[in-house]
Amino acid sequence: MPSPFLNPGAQSQLDSLALLQLRRDQTIPTILQLHDEKNPGYKEGKVTNTRFGSFPHSTLCHQPWGSQIIASKVDTGSRGRMQNKKLKRKADELDSSTQAEDGNKPSPQTAVAASSGFLHLLYPTPELWTASLPHRTQVVYTPDYSYILHRLRARPGSTVIEAGAGSGSFTHASVRAVFNGYPSDDQATKKRRLGKVCSFEFHAQRAEKVREEVKEHGLDGLVEVTHRDVYEDGFLLGDPKTGKSPKANAIFLDLPAPWLAVKHLVRNPPTGEESPLDPSSPVYLCTFSPCLEQVQRTVSTLRQLGWLGISMVEVNNRRIDVKRERIGLEYENIRGTIVFPKSVDEAVERTRALEERSQKFRESQNQSDDESTPALKTENEGNEDDTANTNMSARSREYELPGYKQGRVLTRSEMELKNHTSYLVFAVLPREWTEVDEQRCRDKWPSNRVQEPQGPSKSKKQIKKEAKEQRNKEKQQKEGQGQPETESQKE
């Protein structure tokens, strides 16, 4: 079954993950099932209860993603729950009845729509999963892992080593970045490698929980979770001593002491074991450390082991609001504007208009006794009409003017940072280059311009002396050729 993270399809399916969005900042992950094995549930089957109502899973299955689902009337009390009535039976009928109950489960009751309450059904993505997952440890948020995957050159077909799975946020983001097909569909070839994430976790319960989530989300085969202490046992798959190398291209270490694990990330381990790195490509490394002292020790160890391009980055995510400032009396009753005179001339013009309007109103009051004169509008009615005309003209003028002339563009950033960011240390380990590789490249791409030096090498002074002698020799030859021509001309 394809993973909803990678191939969500057009609508939700049974036994797959779905995200129930209640508000912009509140999302509930759930596995869509008609019956709950752990909890008998209600007569409507498995139900998710929220502050906005109850939602039976029968109303969530086979719905297009992004649909608005109306809440249902569910009796959440004891009467609404399904009761397991245990009847006395004979011993020979007990086994047959148990098998019949397991094979024929009662169909859930049809749900009745409630008068209020709704939610939106969304397919899972790493970004939404990061915002809604159960926190077991510190979470690597979207601004961090997006930059990390960019610096690690994670692309389809790459193999990523993750040390410190934690809550599984980076695991889901990295498997989407390296996904290049399912292992069951097509075997990996030399030209087409299937991406994979090798996750290592020291805590046994967290490792088991991540393994269960990977299986529920359809990522088994793409993510391999291993319970191990990478400080001592390294990063080989299977047995720590004789296991298989993952041949990783990118490494992410979310560990308290990453410098203790870096000693296993070398091309030729001193113990004679197989290297976990890919021998045919450079390897990119990132460590996630909250303290500068950890960064210093990690950088020192990386330099000793031959890593290059070492740099430290701190990601400070800050939201910036951009809007256009519109100032003027002509923008009255228009949302997002500042109703204030933008110049002295506009204020004087508006004052004159108000005085003329007041004068006309007083004149109309003096002529109100004359029956032949039609009834004029009151001052407020006249003001409303003039204001409406002004607003219409302002809107029409706003559409006529280009965007850059409608007002100044203002930007405002958040005062406080809402995400926790540690220090990221990046490094690159080039592939091992031998004389055999150099000769193979020379044979494959020969160069006609490069001439191999013959004999002993010459100094710059000797080369200049030889060049000067060559120029003098050429000059003498030209002079010798010019003398016979002059004698022939004299004859």
Side-chain angles (χ1 to χ4, degrees):
M1 181 178 178
S3 172
F5 280 89
L6 306 174
N7 303 104
Q11 58 185 7
S12 59
Q13 301 293 335
L14 281 174
D15 300 328
S16 65
L17 179 67
L19 299 179
L20 311 180
Q21 187 184 39
L22 305 179
R23 297 185 305 179
R24 180 176 297 181
D25 57 347
Q26 185 177 4
T27 307
I28 300 176
T30 183
I31 302 296
L32 299 181
Q33 295 176 346
L34 294 180
H35 301 277
D36 194 353
E37 300 295 340
K38 298 180 180 179
N39 188 3
Y42 305 93
K43 295 180 180 179
E44 292 81 3
K46 186 177 180 180
V47 178
T48 299
N49 296 315
T50 67
R51 57 181 297 185
F52 298 103
S54 300
F55 299 88
H57 285 205
S58 58
T59 61
L60 302 176
C61 298
H62 307 292
Q63 297 291 338
W65 296 115
S67 301
Q68 187 183 75
I69 308 299
I70 305 299
S72 302
K73 295 181 180 179
V74 177
D75 187 0
T76 57
S78 59
R79 295 181 180 179
R81 290 187 174 274
M82 298 174 59
Q83 299 178 0
N84 295 329
K85 298 181 179 180
K86 297 182 179 180
L87 302 178
K88 296 182 179 180
R89 302 174 184 176
K90 296 181 180 180
D92 54 352
E93 298 178 356
L94 185 60
D95 297 337
S96 60
S97 62
T98 304
Q99 295 177 359
E101 289 179 359
D102 295 339
N104 300 323
K105 294 182 179 180
S107 59
Q109 182 179 344
T110 304
V112 180
S115 58
S116 63
F118 64 90
L119 56 76
H120 290 90
L121 185 65
L122 304 179
Y123 64 86
T125 61
E127 292 78 13
L128 294 176
W129 175 250
T130 300
S132 60
L133 57 80
H135 287 220
R136 295 183 289 271
T137 57
Q138 178 183 340
V139 177
V140 182
Y141 290 97
T142 301
D144 298 325
Y145 67 63
S146 60
Y147 181 74
I148 292 172
L149 292 173
H150 169 70
R151 290 289 301 268
L152 292 181
R153 272 69 167 178
R155 56 189 181 274
S158 301
T159 302
V160 179
I161 287 180
E162 177 195 12
S167 301
S169 173
F170 186 82
T171 307
H172 289 76
S174 58
V175 71
R176 182 185 62 177
V178 304
F179 174 69
N180 198 27
Y182 294 96
S184 58
D185 296 342
D186 187 12
Q187 297 295 331
T189 60
K190 187 175 181 180
K191 295 183 179 179
R192 181 176 181 268
R193 295 183 55 181
L194 301 181
K196 188 175 182 180
V197 177
C198 303
S199 182
F200 296 87
E201 176 58 45
F202 173 75
H203 197 272
Q205 296 180 356
R206 288 199 294 264
E208 184 63 26
K209 188 62 179 178
V210 172
R211 193 178 291 111
E212 292 177 1
E213 291 177 351
V214 166
K215 186 177 181 181
E216 291 178 353
H217 301 168
L219 299 175
D220 45 347
L222 301 174
V223 179
E224 185 172 350
V225 182
T226 305
H227 171 229
R228 181 181 299 173
D229 181 9
V230 295
Y231 293 159
E232 300 295 336
D233 300 331
F235 299 93
L236 296 181
L237 301 178
D239 187 80
K241 301 298 181 182
T242 61
K244 183 180 178 182
S245 172
K247 295 184 178 180
N249 314 104
I251 301 168
F252 176 66
L253 303 180
D254 187 4
L255 303 172
W259 59 90
L260 298 178
V262 173
K263 62 183 179 181
H264 300 285
L265 302 174
V266 292
R267 296 290 185 184
N268 299 312
T271 57
E273 303 172 359
E274 188 177 4
S275 174
L277 308 180
D278 186 5
S280 61
S281 65
V283 180
Y284 298 89
L285 171 73
C286 175
T287 64
F288 195 84
S289 303
C291 301
L292 283 176
E293 291 78 9
Q294 296 172 330
V295 172
Q296 292 175 352
R297 298 193 63 176
T298 303
V299 170
S300 177
T301 305
L302 290 174
R303 288 175 176 172
Q304 295 175 5
L305 296 177
W307 290 79
L308 305 177
I310 303 174
S311 61
M312 190 271 289
V313 178
E314 182 183 8
V315 180
N316 290 329
N317 183 40
R318 192 183 295 269
R319 183 176 179 179
I320 300 177
D321 295 330
V322 181
K323 65 178 182 179
R324 189 172 293 277
E325 183 185 39
R326 294 180 174 87
I327 303 176
L329 299 175
E330 57 187 7
Y331 295 110
E332 189 176 1
N333 296 331
I334 297 179
R335 186 177 181 182
T337 60
I338 301 176
V339 184
F340 192 81
K342 58 184 177 182
S343 63
V344 177
D345 296 336
E346 186 177 6
V348 172
E349 183 180 356
R350 185 61 180 271
T351 304
R352 289 176 179 175
L354 292 176
E355 290 180 356
E356 292 177 359
R357 193 179 304 157
S358 301
Q359 185 177 0
K360 290 181 180 180
F361 176 74
R362 287 193 295 269
E363 292 177 357
S364 64
Q365 291 291 332
N366 296 332
Q367 298 177 1
S368 60
D369 296 338
D370 191 357
E371 296 179 354
S372 61
T373 304
L376 298 177
K377 297 180 180 180
T378 62
E379 184 178 6
N380 294 333
E381 293 177 354
N383 293 343
E384 292 177 358
D385 293 342
D386 294 341
T387 303
N389 295 332
T390 304
N391 294 338
M392 292 296 294
S393 62
R395 290 190 179 93
S396 61
R397 193 181 303 109
E398 181 181 358
Y399 291 124
E400 293 176 358
L401 291 176
Y404 62 89
K405 288 186 177 181
Q406 294 180 8
R408 296 185 303 172
V409 177
L410 302 179
T411 59
R412 184 180 62 181
S413 60
E414 293 178 330
M415 299 301 296
E416 298 180 358
L417 299 177
K418 295 183 179 180
N419 66 320
H420 174 76
T421 304
S422 296
Y423 299 105
L424 307 177
V425 178
F426 296 95
V428 182
L429 184 63
R431 60 165 297 185
E432 190 175 5
W433 194 258
T434 61
E435 295 181 358
V436 178
D437 298 330
E438 183 70 22
Q439 187 62 34
R440 187 185 300 112
C441 291
R442 289 181 179 273
D443 297 340
K444 188 174 182 180
W445 296 288
S447 178
N448 297 327
R449 295 183 179 181
V450 178
Q451 297 180 359
E452 297 293 338
Q454 298 179 359
S457 59
K458 300 179 181 180
S459 62
K460 292 183 178 180
K461 186 176 181 180
Q462 187 176 0
I463 293 174
K464 290 182 179 180
K465 184 178 180 181
E466 292 179 356
K468 185 177 180 180
E469 293 177 355
Q470 183 68 21
R471 289 194 300 269
N472 295 335
K473 187 176 180 180
E474 292 177 356
K475 186 176 180 181
Q476 292 177 1
Q477 290 179 356
K478 290 181 180 179
E479 291 177 354
Q481 293 177 359
Q483 290 178 358
E485 293 179 358
T486 55
E487 293 177 357
S488 61
Q489 290 177 359
K490 290 180 180 181
E491 292 177 356

